[in-house]
Amino acid sequence: MSETHSNEAAESLPEQLNHRTWTQALREGRLLGQRCRDCGAETATPSAACNACGSRERVTIELPTTGTLYTETTVAVAPQGFDGGYRVGVVDLGSTRVMARLEGDSDIGDSIELAGVLEVDSPVPVFE
Amino acid sequence: MHQAHIVGVGMTDFGVHETPLTELFASAAFDALDDAGVGGAAIESFYLGNAMSGQSEGDTHLAPTIASHLGLAGVPCQRYEDACATSSNAFKHAVRAVEAGQHDVVLVGGVERCTTTTGLETPEMTSVFASASHRQYEQPTGISFPGVFGLLTTRHMHEHGTTEEQLAAVAVKNHGHGTLNDRAQFGTETSVEEVLDSPIVATPFRLFDCCPFSDGAAAVVVANEDVAADMEADSVAVTGIGHATDVVPLAEKEDLTATQSARDAATQAYEAADIGPEDVDVAEVHDCFTGAEILAIEALGFVEDGEGGKAAVEGTTALGGRIPVNPSGGLKAKGHPIGATGIAQLVELTEHLRGEAGERQVDGATHALAHNLGGDAATTVVSILEGDA
Ligand SMILES: [Zn+2]
């Protein structure tokens, strides 16, 4: 990612991260999260207050779009609306983790990157 | 503070029931009242666990409806939903009310139908179960509930070298126990080979690693020490209950193999009962999937962290072993009608403490522990019961 790109990204961080702004960013190929202004704890999905200290002072942050695969499962018997045989994983982004759909055959510990968005239901990240 | 006792227990067979929820629950509730030797007029309040009837049967405001079917209309009724930990949460509140002196005698139970008797087939019911995951940040990935525990168990396998054969050994043990329980959905043995040959549901779990879809109900009567002393039936004391939660979505849990809510709930329960894991004679734990039992016995302190995979293989957790786990057959063989499961664990343990568990009796058991987990381990309730030596 070029320096210019990062600067643009930083400028356009929504002041308040919620499901709408998180989703909007994801569709633009960006992963947004939150840092607690009081204790520094980071999360990859929005919440109204910090689970580590209870503070409501949430700062929107740009998360890396590369991470390592922390754990995974192949879902064969799928919920309604999905065709079984896909992989779901938890991606370690360093300071936090996020659940994502997986493409490819990465193993735990492999480096993977944000490759798109799955929109069967509301949008979620796809890592490859 | 009063001392709460379980003074009567009842449960239906777990399996397939065409009967409506009202009738299914009545069967368990009247068995519990009869066991306690009290009539409905003695019941001051009703605590019901039911996780999904709104989604699966189009049936809500269930507690007063069921109370009316039982002839209890008029008493305060409350209904709890906490995914698979549903009826343990109902039990906790019933016990707290008795401890506080708010009520002397209460009825607490759970009921659920999860089989095709609801009119729902496997994909629809898989969706109902998956709804316990985060609506915005987990469900849209297509994660199923076996998948949720697949994520936790795959990580345990990575960190500790736990194997598919070790997972299968949990199913083999619990099926073996289930053959001794005529209320169990599965009354047949299985083998490691049969488990490993069964089709994948969500890796690392195969069909035989997973509990079945079940219908059933369970109920207990809880009373204070004065009422319990006047009763004919043997009562058991509820000496500790712990209840803790962890963050949802699961990606934000600090440790995916710890099931931290179970550790926190166990710490509270052991402290209240003034015992440690080494004092527990028999346990019913939440083995919705084979991997879940491995995580549970580590969280409860029955084995060292990372050693859970060996326990079933080595017989540590079998009847006759150092710490018998799931003598009923567990969720795996006995069945798992979601909202009834927590109370069914307490029914089983009460029978062990009374010496009434028949062929699967843990001889001389005086301390029993139930571990009932909800969702992705975001909720756990741990209850400790004590009988007379
Ligand atoms: Zn904080």
Side-chain angles (χ1 to χ4, degrees), chain A residues 19 22 43-46 51 70-74 76-77 79-80 82 86 88 97-99 101 108 118 121-122 124, chain B residues 123-124 126-127 135-138 140-142 147 151 154-155 158 200-203 247 249-254 256:
Chain A
H19 185 236
W22 184 87
T43 59
T45 52
N51 278 293
Y70 189 74
T71 188
E72 52 80 33
T73 182
T74 299
V77 179
Q80 265 184 306
F82 295 90
Y86 50 84
V88 177
R97 305 187 205 104
V98 70
M99 186 182 285
R101 182 64 79 86
I108 291 180
L118 176 75
D121 189 354
S122 76
V124 285
Chain B
E124 289 100 331
T126 300
S127 293
R135 182 66 193 94
Q136 281 74 43
Y137 307 114
E138 295 183 321
T141 64
L151 292 171
T154 301
R155 184 68 199 177
H158 175 77
I200 293 282
V201 174
T203 58
V247 66
L250 77 85
E252 289 176 13
K253 287 180 170 59
E254 201 166 308
L256 291 194

Side-chain angles (χ1 to χ4, degrees), chain B residues 333-344:
Chain B
K334 180 183 56 186
H336 182 25
I338 309 295
T341 284
I343 296 296

Side-chain angles (χ1 to χ4, degrees), chain A residues 36 38-41 50 52-55:
Chain A
C36 175
D38 288 327
C39 81
C50 174
C53 76
S55 167

Side-chain angles (χ1 to χ4, degrees), chain B residues 122-145:
Chain B
T122 298
E124 289 100 331
M125 196 49 77
T126 300
S127 293
V128 172
F129 294 140
S131 72
S133 288
H134 198 292
R135 182 66 193 94
Q136 281 74 43
Y137 307 114
E138 295 183 321
Q139 289 180 41
T141 64
I143 194 72
S144 62
F145 238 79

Side-chain angles (χ1 to χ4, degrees), chain B residues 3-317:
Chain B
Q3 172 62 58
H5 291 256
I6 294 177
V7 297
V9 298
M11 66 180 280
T12 65
D13 291 348
F14 282 2
V16 178
H17 289 281
E18 293 288 348
T19 44
L21 294 174
T22 45
E23 295 173 19
L24 190 55
F25 187 75
S27 167
F30 286 163
D31 281 355
L33 289 170
D34 293 348
D35 182 38
V38 299
I43 300 300
E44 298 171 20
S45 188
F46 174 42
Y47 296 80
L48 173 69
N50 173 270
M52 312 180 311
S53 66
Q55 287 165 282
S56 55
E57 310 215 26
D59 199 356
T60 61
H61 203 212
L62 198 58
T65 306
I66 287 182
S68 301
H69 187 70
L70 301 176
L72 299 177
V75 304
C77 297
Q78 37 274 306
R79 176 255 183 97
Y80 294 84
E81 184 274 308
D82 243 322
C84 305
T86 284
S87 57
S88 289
N89 198 354
F91 179 69
K92 182 192 90 166
H93 284 84
V95 167
R96 295 295 184 238
V98 167
E99 287 173 343
Q102 185 120 38
H103 300 299
D104 295 338
V105 189
V106 302
L107 176 65
V108 49
V111 64
E112 201 88 51
R113 294 200 305 177
C114 307
T115 72
T116 53
T117 59
T118 55
L120 303 184
E121 300 293 330
T122 298
E124 289 100 331
M125 196 49 77
T126 300
S127 293
V128 172
F129 294 140
S131 72
S133 288
H134 198 292
R135 182 66 193 94
Q136 281 74 43
Y137 307 114
E138 295 183 321
Q139 289 180 41
T141 64
I143 194 72
S144 62
F145 238 79
V148 164
F149 277 86
L151 292 171
L152 307 185
T153 303
T154 301
R155 184 68 199 177
H156 194 275
M157 296 166 90
H158 175 77
E159 288 180 12
H160 301 296
T162 309
T163 65
E164 287 187 25
E165 288 76 11
Q166 290 174 338
L167 300 180
V170 175
V172 172
K173 167 181 76 76
N174 290 347
H175 270 255
H177 291 175
T179 63
L180 306 176
N181 183 359
D182 56 16
R183 296 182 298 222
Q185 190 160 353
F186 296 138
T188 52
E189 304 269 359
T190 188
S191 64
V192 169
E193 296 68 34
E194 187 177 28
V195 177
L196 295 179
D197 280 346
S198 64
I200 293 282
V201 174
T203 58
F205 300 132
R206 297 167 184 278
L207 186 62
F208 274 65
D209 287 292
C210 303
C211 65
F213 291 1
S214 316
D215 308 329
V220 298
V221 177
V222 176
N224 66 24
E225 66 281 12
D226 299 327
V227 176
D230 287 342
M231 291 202 161
E232 278 179 35
D234 273 353
S235 70
V236 306
V238 184
T239 52
I241 297 183
H243 179 187
T245 64
D246 198 352
V247 66
V248 180
L250 77 85
E252 289 176 13
K253 287 180 170 59
E254 201 166 308
D255 183 337
L256 291 194
T257 61
T259 59
Q260 189 59 42
S261 68
R263 287 165 199 257
D264 295 344
T267 300
Q268 294 168 22
Y270 286 138
E271 200 174 291
D274 198 21
I275 65 165
E278 66 284 356
D279 299 312
V280 176
D281 300 308
V282 55
E284 286 280 306
V285 312
H286 200 86
D287 60 327
C288 45
F289 307 100
T290 49
E293 178 169 311
I294 290 170
L295 302 181
I297 59 176
E298 293 181 5
L300 295 168
F302 295 155
V303 298
E304 295 290 319
D305 286 347
E307 301 291 307
K310 297 177 188 163
V313 176
E314 294 176 353
T316 311
T317 46

